[in-house]
Amino acid sequence: MTQRQTGHSPAPAHPQPSRARPVADSARSDILAAAAVLFYARGFTAVGMDDLRTEANVSLRRLYQLFPSKDLLIEEVLGIWRDAWSSGIDAQVQAAADPRQRLLAVYDFLAGWFTSEGFRGCAFINSFGEVGGASGRITTIVREQKKHFQDYLADLATELGAPPGLAPQLAILAEGAITTAAIAASSEPARQARAAAEVLIGVALSPAARD
Amino acid sequence: MTQRQTGHSPAPAHPQPSRARPVADSARSDILAAAAVLFYARGFTAVGMDDLRTEANVSLRRLYQLFPSKDLLIEEVLGIWRDAWSSGIDAQVQAAADPRQRLLAVYDFLAGWFTSEGFRGCAFINSFGEVGGASGRITTIVREQKKHFQDYLADLATELGAPPGLAPQLAILAEGAITTAAIAASSEPARQARAAAEVLIGVALSPAARD
DNA sequence: ACATGATGAGAACGAACGTTCTCGCACTCC
DNA sequence: GGAGTGCGAGAACGTTCGTTCTCATCATGT
């Protein structure tokens, strides 16, 4: 694609506000950013391509040029959500001092997320609920994301020297906290899940309680 | 512009003639049964009124006569799901011997549900994910249902003499198990959640023991 | 038996949506 | 300067879907 920079804008008669066009690539990220926000807030089907055009300030032509179909756009948005989740949680986890604190930092991250503006639960769970089995493509991506999270917790648990049964339980706690917080519109589940995680970790590390 | 179709004719103030015709009132339960199944399997938006007509073997006219709009039908289906959940879980819980076993029976119920044909996660969570904040009506019903489940667990926990902090943790475990099982298409989360619940219950009943 | 009113089958309507097309305009290259 | 190209704005198209309407049919009451 040819890049264009308007070196000198001769200030036309401008019947309409023909603003200086930004670099072509910014449209792509604008669209993705708008889609990530709108899809999360209202779901895939409730957001039309027209809404995205309006929110991202691009023409429909350009939108379809960059994303030939809504499905493709949805898939890219799922990737954005995955990256945002990974980097967000990892930042909080890596800031913790020891393996135990790193595991618990997961629930501290959740607590902050739950109180953030526009929190509406896990985007992947919502996506799964929305498309159900209609889109095997989306289902696969959601499944991979959850698998990735479980592996992530498993690594943290291994780092702590915990038996392999712990990580799935901690993952279940996290998932349950997310959906409970979303539906109840409360951040309390994060603290409750954290407290439960502390108990499970403590018991898992105590030799007497080994199974 | 006939706005009302419940014409109160002079004569026929009596119930439906259920003799010569194929039982007239069964249409209502047929529709609800079909809607409960189809909505759960594919979501609200993916199931059209035409699909319901076909599946329930009624005419469109009759369908709209019994349920003036899709939204009203959806609300009734949510009620059906609520009753099915309540009676299903309560049957398994009441079959247990003591309070502790009754709490754990919740996760046994989940294990059976997860392996049942067509399991696709919690219908309420899926509904919440699908309509998001679009329908405050549905959101309210989902919230009430989850609140009801938490209260149910709280009663069971009280019966056991456990501190009030236990029930929310057990609820989070159950919610997490449901979504994890749905996405991973596995019943393993039920057993993992049960094991975690056993630990949490044990610790909750011996407050001084741990830590 | 006829009028009445309810019913089933399905056409029709109106809105929404994903996608494509048209057109005029600005800019570039020869 | 003129042909070509990429773009924005938005109309247009085809489909889907919720909802209503038409019409022929049929059971029933008098």
Side-chain angles (χ1 to χ4, degrees):
Chain A
M1 299 309 174
T2 58
Q3 288 175 337
R4 52 189 309 109
Q5 64 263 23
T6 58
H8 48 81
S9 304
H14 57 276
Q16 56 243 8
S18 70
R19 65 183 53 200
R21 272 184 299 274
V23 193
D25 287 22
S26 84
R28 191 170 214 289
S29 47
D30 287 351
I31 293 169
L32 283 174
V37 169
L38 289 185
F39 283 160
Y40 177 66
R42 320 209 306 249
F44 297 131
T45 58
V47 174
M49 300 298 270
D50 229 57
D51 299 320
L52 296 173
R53 175 194 67 171
T54 301
E55 190 68 16
N57 253 316
V58 298
S59 69
L60 216 47
R61 181 192 186 90
R62 191 103 138 120
L63 207 171
Y64 273 93
Q65 196 171 309
L66 293 167
F67 303 95
S69 81
K70 193 181 183 182
D71 285 341
L72 292 177
L73 178 54
I74 287 175
E75 285 185 28
E76 294 224 29
V77 167
L78 286 170
I80 287 187
W81 287 339
R82 170 173 26 91
D83 296 344
W85 164 270
S86 295
S87 60
I89 204 171
D90 205 52
Q92 187 121 7
V93 165
Q94 294 308 326
D98 54 275
R100 190 168 188 278
Q101 292 302 317
R102 276 197 281 279
L103 267 179
L104 293 175
V106 169
Y107 304 94
D108 296 331
F109 169 77
L110 293 184
W113 182 31
F114 294 171
T115 57
S116 67
E117 175 71 17
F119 169 70
R120 275 222 169 76
C122 175
F124 297 93
I125 294 174
N126 292 348
S127 300
F128 182 83
E130 180 170 0
V131 307
S135 167
R137 195 89 183 79
I138 290 182
T139 299
T140 300
I141 295 177
V142 171
R143 189 167 297 162
E144 286 173 354
Q145 157 69 14
K146 292 306 181 189
K147 176 68 164 54
H148 184 266
F149 176 58
Q150 297 224 356
D151 291 344
Y152 182 77
L153 285 188
D155 286 347
L156 292 180
T158 299
E159 209 180 330
L160 182 61
L166 178 64
Q169 296 181 345
L170 297 183
I172 289 173
L173 275 178
E175 302 286 357
I178 294 172
T179 64
T180 302
I183 291 176
S186 156
S187 68
E188 194 63 24
R191 282 178 286 276
Q192 295 162 336
R194 190 190 201 277
E198 285 190 271
V199 171
L200 292 179
I201 291 172
V203 170
L205 292 182
S206 140
R210 288 292 187 87
D211 207 17
Chain B
M1 303 302 177
T2 61
Q3 53 188 9
R4 47 189 302 110
Q5 47 280 77
T6 59
H8 273 3
S9 312
H14 275 293
Q16 301 77 2
S18 57
R19 186 176 316 149
R21 259 304 184 231
V23 207
D25 209 15
S26 81
R28 190 181 164 79
S29 46
D30 286 351
I31 293 169
L32 283 174
V37 169
L38 289 184
F39 283 160
Y40 177 66
R42 320 211 304 250
F44 298 131
T45 58
V47 175
M49 299 298 269
D50 229 58
D51 299 320
L52 295 173
R53 176 194 66 171
T54 301
E55 190 68 16
N57 253 317
V58 298
S59 67
L60 259 187
R61 182 191 187 88
R62 192 115 156 108
L63 207 170
Y64 274 94
Q65 194 171 309
L66 294 167
F67 304 95
S69 80
K70 193 180 182 182
D71 285 341
L72 291 177
L73 178 54
I74 287 175
E75 286 184 28
E76 294 223 30
V77 167
L78 287 170
I80 287 189
W81 286 339
R82 170 171 28 88
D83 295 345
W85 165 269
S86 294
S87 59
I89 203 170
D90 204 53
Q92 186 121 10
V93 164
Q94 295 307 327
D98 55 275
R100 188 168 190 277
Q101 291 303 316
R102 276 198 280 280
L103 268 178
L104 293 175
V106 169
Y107 304 94
D108 295 331
F109 170 76
L110 294 183
W113 183 30
F114 294 171
T115 57
S116 67
E117 176 71 17
F119 169 70
R120 277 223 167 74
C122 174
F124 297 93
I125 294 174
N126 292 347
S127 300
F128 181 84
E130 178 170 2
V131 308
S135 166
R137 195 89 184 78
I138 291 182
T139 300
T140 299
I141 294 177
V142 171
R143 189 167 298 160
E144 286 172 355
Q145 156 69 14
K146 291 308 180 187
K147 175 70 163 54
H148 185 266
F149 176 57
Q150 297 224 354
D151 292 344
Y152 182 77
L153 285 188
D155 286 346
L156 292 180
T158 299
E159 208 180 332
L160 182 62
L166 177 65
Q169 295 180 346
L170 296 183
I172 289 173
L173 275 178
E175 302 287 357
I178 294 171
T179 63
T180 301
I183 291 177
S186 158
S187 67
E188 195 61 26
R191 283 177 286 277
Q192 293 163 337
R194 190 190 201 276
E198 285 190 273
V199 171
L200 293 178
I201 292 172
V203 170
L205 289 184
S206 60
R210 276 253 59 80
D211 255 4

